[in-house]
Amino acid sequence: MLSRPETLCIFGDSHIGSVRRALDAGLEGLDGFEVEFWGAAGPLFRQIDIRQGVVRPIGKEAEEVVLRVNGKGRATLAPGDFDTYLFYGARLRIAEFMLPYLHHLRDPRQAVSSAVMQAAARQFLASCRAVRIARSFAASGSTRVFFAPAPLMTDGMTGQGALKSPLKDYPRATEATAADRTRVWQMFAQLLADDGITLIAQPDETVVNGVFTSADFAIEGAEASGDAGHKSPEFAALMLRAFVAAARRDGCKKTND
C-alpha cells in the first residue's frame, strides 16, 4: 500500500513568492510532499502572531492576505495541522547578524569570543517573532520544523538597503571566508537544534565578496527597483533542494532511532 504524502506548510513573508515560482517553473520538485503556503508580505506579516499555540492574522486585512496566499481557506495554523513546517525568510534577516560578526572574525583587534557571539545570536533569534512561533511548534512534538532565514543581500547593487551604511562600519566582512561563514551558520544551527528546529543555511556557492549573495540570483528587475533582499526562483530552488536533503536525513534519523 502506498503511504500518503507528507503534508508541508511553507510559512513566511514575501520571500515565499520565489519558492512558489520555483515550483511552478519546475526548477525543483517537492515529491512526496503535499504543499500549502501560508503567510503575508510587507507590513502585514507583522500582523501575524501566535496566541495559545495557534498562529493567526490579527485584523481583517491581514486575514484576507493570508487566505489569498494560502488559497485553501486556512485562516489559522496549529502545530498538528501539518507533518512538516518550513519557515522561509519570515523576517529572520541573517545578514544583519553576519555583517558585524564576520567583520569581527576577520579583525584580530576586534575579535569576540565564542561565548559572546553565542549570546548575541541567542538574543538575535529571540527578537524574531517567527522563530518564537517555530520554537512553539517544535516544542509541541507533533510536527517537524525547518527554518531557512532570509538570504544575504545581493552583491553589487547601488541600493543595498540596510547593509549599505553599516558596511562602512564593518568593511572586513567582505574578506570573510567560507570557513568564517560556516562557523556562524553552525552556531545558529546548534542553537536552533536545541529547540528542535533544523536550520537550512544558504548554500555557500551562492555567496560572493564575503557577505553577499551573487548577483546571478537577484530577483528580476532588482537593479531598477533597488531590491537587494529578494532572490530569484533559481535561488529558491537551491534552498528547496537543501530542505529536501535535510528532511530526508531527519526522516532517516527518526527511522533509525
Side-chain angles (χ1 to χ4, degrees):
M1 176 180 290
L2 294 175
S3 60
R4 69 170 178 84
E6 185 173 351
T7 57
L8 168 66
C9 179
I10 300 177
F11 171 95
D13 52 11
S14 54
H15 286 284
I16 65 176
S18 64
V19 177
R20 193 189 293 269
R21 288 191 291 274
L23 292 174
D24 289 347
L27 298 176
E28 184 63 29
L30 286 172
D31 295 338
F33 289 99
E34 186 177 297
V35 183
E36 287 187 30
F37 289 85
W38 203 95
L44 291 177
F45 185 78
R46 293 196 292 271
Q47 296 181 35
I48 291 172
D49 206 354
I50 185 167
R51 298 180 178 180
Q52 297 180 327
V54 177
V55 176
R56 64 184 75 247
I58 310 303
K60 183 178 179 180
E61 185 181 6
E63 182 176 353
E64 289 174 350
V65 170
V66 162
L67 289 171
R68 188 159 61 246
V69 169
N70 176 255
K72 297 191 177 182
R74 191 183 299 276
T76 63
L77 286 180
D81 290 347
F82 291 88
D83 299 316
T84 301
Y85 282 88
L86 171 60
F87 288 71
Y88 193 92
R91 292 300 198 274
L92 183 57
R93 298 184 176 103
I94 203 72
E96 295 178 1
F97 188 95
M98 283 278 193
L99 186 69
Y101 281 91
L102 288 176
H103 170 85
H104 292 318
L105 287 175
R106 299 307 300 169
D107 188 348
R109 298 169 300 176
Q110 300 186 46
V112 295
S113 69
S114 295
V116 168
M117 191 160 65
Q118 285 179 359
R122 286 192 187 95
Q123 185 175 2
F124 179 76
L125 290 172
S127 69
C128 179
R129 181 183 296 131
V131 170
R132 297 195 294 272
I133 293 171
R135 284 171 168 165
S136 176
F137 278 24
S140 74
S142 59
T143 187
R144 300 194 298 169
V145 180
F146 299 79
F147 209 121
L152 300 174
M153 304 296 266
T154 302
D155 183 53
M157 291 185 56
T158 55
Q160 285 172 342
L163 283 186
K164 187 175 182 181
S165 178
L167 191 57
K168 297 178 182 177
D169 299 324
Y170 306 110
R172 298 198 66 170
T174 60
E175 303 171 11
T177 65
D180 295 328
R181 292 186 293 273
T182 296
R183 179 179 173 185
V184 178
W185 281 120
Q186 287 180 342
M187 176 187 64
F188 276 110
Q190 185 57 60
L191 291 174
L192 289 172
D194 290 343
D195 292 317
I197 302 166
T198 301
L199 175 71
I200 307 300
Q202 178 169 340
D204 203 65
E205 62 266 28
T206 67
V207 181
V208 297
N209 293 331
V211 71
F212 293 104
T213 301
S214 168
D216 291 344
F217 298 104
I219 193 171
E220 184 177 356
E223 190 62 42
S225 66
D227 186 346
H230 294 94
K231 302 296 179 282
S232 67
E234 288 76 13
F235 180 89
L238 291 177
M239 295 299 294
L240 286 175
R241 202 167 302 155
F243 158 70
V244 169
R248 287 173 177 166
R249 287 195 300 270
D250 181 71
C252 290
K253 179 178 181 296
K254 291 183 185 306
T255 299
N256 292 334
D257 290 345

